[in-house]
Amino acid sequence: DAKTTQPPSMDCAEGRAANLPCNHSTISGNEYVYWYRQIHSQGPQYIIHGLKNNETNEMASLIITEDRKSSTLILPHATLRDTAVYYCIVSGIQGAQKLVFGQGTRLTINP
Amino acid sequence: ETGVTQSPTHLIKTRGQQVTLRCSSQSGHNTVSWYQQALGQGPQFIFQYYREEENGRGNFPPRFSGLQFPNYSSELNVNALELDDSALYLCASSPRGDPGNTIYFGEGSWLTVV
């Protein structure tokens, strides 16, 4: 399974865009990049995922570099409710659809 | 609201006992995975079921076992409970077992082993 590297913590002001980086330099050609977040004591919440192209949905945008070795999750207008641990995951393609969670980035949105 | 429901939400068991946790997957999803999340750690993959067959397993001993039923709901069974089994157990479902599908998690079952 490809390993991901994320900063352990980040801060962002409310109303500003939060940009969360992720390094996945060992990603294979058919592995997807997934982003989840987890608010204390709750199940992980799906945010977005992509393979090669940039993706956008109602929650966030995912920017994947051309070489696919890194990506950035963008929360366009962060609110206090976006405070959470954000996980960047590269999903294995062998057999089971396994998500390998790392330690994630603890994002704190400040008023 | 992900449509993935788990029960019970909290339970306490004694070391050596057995526990069964249940999961109803989102409608139309035939793939269910189970994860264990210890306090302060990210979730760890236990195993996955696709159309009632186990088709992938993480680094967990055989006392962790599961079932998937024809309606795609699932159970996680843990025998001979140990103190280190205390964790949040998460169920996740997806439409199919192949890569690239959206995977939705339930809110989990908190297990405390005393």
Side-chain angles (χ1 to χ4, degrees):
Chain A
D1 299 309
K3 186 176 172 60
T4 62
T5 304
Q6 300 178 252
S9 64
M10 292 182 64
D11 286 272
C12 180
E14 189 178 18
R16 304 296 295 269
N19 296 276
L20 290 88
C22 179
N23 181 284
H24 32 78
S25 58
T26 61
I27 193 170
S28 299
N30 293 322
E31 289 183 309
Y32 285 76
V33 179
Y34 285 81
W35 282 84
Y36 283 82
R37 71 182 183 185
Q38 191 171 28
I39 296 168
H40 183 62
S41 300
Q42 298 181 15
Q45 179 187 22
Y46 168 80
I47 301 173
I48 199 166
H49 74 284
L51 182 62
K52 297 178 183 177
N53 300 320
N54 298 337
E55 302 287 344
T56 295
N57 63 21
E58 66 278 3
M59 287 184 67
S61 294
L62 173 60
I63 309 297
I64 302 174
T65 58
E66 193 168 341
D67 63 9
R68 303 212 320 125
K69 293 184 177 183
S70 65
S71 61
T72 301
L73 177 75
I74 301 173
L75 307 178
H77 304 287
T79 71
L80 298 179
R81 286 181 294 182
D82 292 323
T83 293
V85 177
Y86 286 76
Y87 293 100
C88 169
I89 301 160
V90 172
S91 177
I93 59 172
Q94 304 300 326
Q97 193 180 33
K98 178 173 68 173
L99 299 177
V100 180
F101 287 79
Q103 292 298 109
T105 295
R106 183 171 298 277
L107 175 67
T108 302
I109 306 300
N110 300 306
Chain B
E1 186 61 51
T2 65
V4 181
T5 59
Q6 295 187 241
S7 63
T9 54
H10 294 81
L11 72 166
I12 300 173
K13 289 286 188 177
T14 302
R15 188 171 49 182
Q17 285 188 316
Q18 177 264 346
V19 68
T20 297
L21 307 177
R22 295 177 176 83
C23 172
S24 293
S25 59
Q26 189 180 114
S27 177
H29 287 191
N30 60 21
T31 301
V32 172
S33 302
W34 286 91
Y35 290 77
Q36 180 197 66
Q37 186 173 21
L39 209 58
Q41 304 294 318
Q44 301 294 308
F45 176 79
I46 302 175
F47 44 55
Q48 177 176 294
Y49 279 83
Y50 171 64
R51 293 187 173 181
E52 303 178 57
E53 297 281 336
E54 182 183 302
N55 75 332
R57 190 178 184 92
N59 189 25
F60 281 82
R63 60 189 184 85
F64 286 78
S65 63
L67 281 173
Q68 187 179 31
F69 301 99
N71 66 355
Y72 303 131
S73 65
S74 178
E75 286 182 355
L76 165 66
N77 299 290
V78 187
N79 294 321
L81 285 167
E82 301 176 359
L83 297 180
D84 285 348
D85 295 332
S86 295
L88 176 65
Y89 288 85
L90 296 158
C91 173
S93 78
S94 59
R96 298 182 306 276
D98 51 321
N101 286 282
T102 301
I103 304 167
Y104 295 101
F105 284 83
E107 291 301 323
S109 295
W110 283 98
L111 171 65
T112 301
V113 182
V114 298

